[in-house]
Amino acid sequence: MGLLDRLGSSLFGRAAPIDRADRLADFIDSRAAFMCQKCVVEFCRVRAGVYWQKLFSEEEFIEQLGKANWKAFPPAVGMLAEMVEGVLREPAGLRQRALPQALGATCRAVFSRHPVPDGLPASFRDEAAALVDERLQATQFAAPRPVRAIPDPLARLVFQALPIHESIVTNDYDYIFNNLRMNLLRFHSDFLDAVDAPALLDDLLGSSRD
């Protein structure tokens, strides 16, 4: 399952100011890993009830759980990218039209950090980047959405990635949506505390004084 294991130190360590694109990538990478893995693993434990330890000891299930975590990673990145765009749009001023492209490039850098997961297609990273680009472009048709609304519609992809047969989880979408929303609200607060918006925007978009 090691997606979160490799990123936990950047999530729980002291946060550096988010004033450069690479630090924004660190933030998105670590928080997306936490969101998708915590959501998927926690759900499976709850759904399995008293049998969760037996389920989590089965090699085939662990393999499918790892795939589910990775399938949920691009939607989680997309949610965080929309959240970041909503925070930065107003301070970007006249540069805001270039913001989706710049954030899309940052998210592609996030995906490029990871090898294509075992069992997933070679196009995994390209498809992940396209998903984020599509979500960022969709944000441009209206004012930024409240953070609590951002998991829609990408939460549906996380739900579809669950490693449990769909006939068993038919009525559990709200659990997934609310789990993602709760963590996204938490990370929105983290981002507001850490971001140096003027410096970050200059690094992403070029100086407004140029």
Side-chain angles (χ1 to χ4, degrees), residues 152-184:
D152 178 39
L154 294 180
R156 184 63 61 179
L157 297 179
V158 178
F159 180 68
Q160 292 168 354
L162 294 171
I164 298 177
H165 195 275
E166 60 183 13
S167 64
I168 299 175
V169 301
T170 302
N171 299 316
D172 292 318
Y173 174 73
D174 286 348
Y175 178 97
I176 298 300
F177 183 93
N178 289 331
N179 187 295
L180 293 165
R181 177 171 59 184
M182 177 185 67
N183 282 299
L184 196 62

Side-chain angles (χ1 to χ4, degrees), residues 73-74 77-78 106-115 124-125 128-129 132:
F73 185 61
V77 170
T106 299
C107 292
R108 282 191 290 278
V110 169
F111 296 130
S112 71
R113 295 177 173 189
H114 305 288
F124 175 78
R125 286 180 294 193
V132 173

Side-chain angles (χ1 to χ4, degrees), residues 39-167:
C39 184
V40 172
V41 173
E42 220 173 60
F43 172 80
C44 291
R45 282 180 176 161
V46 170
R47 206 67 181 83
V50 297
Y51 300 105
W52 78 266
Q53 288 181 309
K54 181 179 185 300
L55 181 64
F56 277 66
S57 68
E58 295 178 1
E59 185 175 340
E60 182 178 357
F61 175 76
I62 292 299
E63 180 182 347
Q64 293 304 314
L65 186 61
K67 288 182 183 178
N69 287 329
W70 279 111
K71 288 178 181 178
F73 185 61
V77 170
M79 293 176 215
L80 283 155
E82 180 175 353
M83 182 203 79
V84 169
E85 194 277 340
V87 172
L88 296 180
R89 188 186 300 186
E90 183 176 349
L94 295 175
R95 297 173 292 170
Q96 65 183 242
R97 288 185 178 275
L99 194 53
Q101 183 177 357
L103 291 176
T106 299
C107 292
R108 282 191 290 278
V110 169
F111 296 130
S112 71
R113 295 177 173 189
H114 305 288
V116 174
D118 291 341
L120 295 179
S123 58
F124 175 78
R125 286 180 294 193
D126 290 340
E127 292 173 2
L131 177 73
V132 173
D133 286 343
E134 181 180 1
R135 187 65 240 148
L136 285 168
Q137 289 304 317
T139 67
Q140 301 306 292
F141 296 103
R145 295 192 294 168
V147 176
R148 65 181 181 274
I150 287 176
D152 178 39
L154 294 180
R156 184 63 61 179
L157 297 179
V158 178
F159 180 68
Q160 292 168 354
L162 294 171
I164 298 177
H165 195 275
E166 60 183 13
S167 64

